[in-house]
Amino acid sequence: MNYFYGDEAERFIFYRIPKGLITDKRFERLKCEAKLLYGLMLDRMALSIKNNWLDRENRAFIYYTIESIMEDLHCGHGKAGKLLSELETYGLLQRKRQGQGKPDRLYVLKF
């Protein structure tokens, strides 16, 4: 490990996790990995909005496959699925199945 010098620290990119996920009593039992996943999804939302990925009702959505979640969080298929389900249970995510081998549309919800 080495020290940061000058403006080197500014070269890092950060994910943001809303403070409410940490401080709000509604989310005190939400797993830390689910909170991290929510932050990753918010990051993807910014790109979706930039690319105009909107449905017919003008709602932004993302694509984030189980495989990508597994890779990003270094976890197994079951764990990735449970984290998505947990976010749904807490009202932070809505999945829309598209069928025919297409990935689910994920709507990251505000709280």
Side-chain angles (χ1 to χ4, degrees):
M1 302 292 171
N2 205 346
Y3 296 97
F4 288 104
Y5 295 96
D7 65 349
E8 289 178 328
E10 293 179 13
R11 288 190 237 170
F12 287 92
I13 298 172
F14 295 92
Y15 292 110
R16 294 186 295 188
I17 299 173
K19 184 177 179 180
L21 289 181
I22 308 299
T23 60
D24 193 316
K25 291 285 186 194
R26 292 178 292 170
F27 305 116
E28 66 185 0
R29 294 185 189 267
L30 183 65
K31 289 184 180 70
C32 289
E33 293 111 325
K35 293 174 184 181
L36 175 59
L37 179 56
Y38 186 83
L40 294 172
M41 290 178 164
L42 285 178
D43 186 65
R44 286 177 173 249
M45 281 292 291
L47 185 59
S48 288
I49 291 169
K50 184 179 177 180
N51 289 330
N52 205 33
W53 284 9
L54 306 170
D55 66 10
R56 291 181 183 166
E57 297 177 39
N58 205 36
R59 299 177 302 187
F61 61 89
I62 63 171
Y63 292 113
Y64 201 1
T65 64
I66 290 280
E67 292 76 17
S68 294
I69 294 169
M70 290 168 51
E71 184 177 321
D72 289 347
L73 295 180
H74 308 285
C75 68
H77 189 276
K79 177 75 167 195
K82 286 180 184 176
L83 292 173
L84 287 172
S85 294
E86 189 173 0
L87 290 174
E88 281 184 297
T89 299
Y90 278 84
L92 298 170
L93 177 69
Q94 184 179 40
R95 287 190 266 192
K96 294 286 183 178
R97 306 214 188 291
Q98 297 190 99
Q100 299 177 348
K102 296 179 182 177
D104 293 348
R105 279 188 177 179
L106 302 178
Y107 293 88
V108 182
L109 304 175
K110 296 187 278 182
F111 60 92

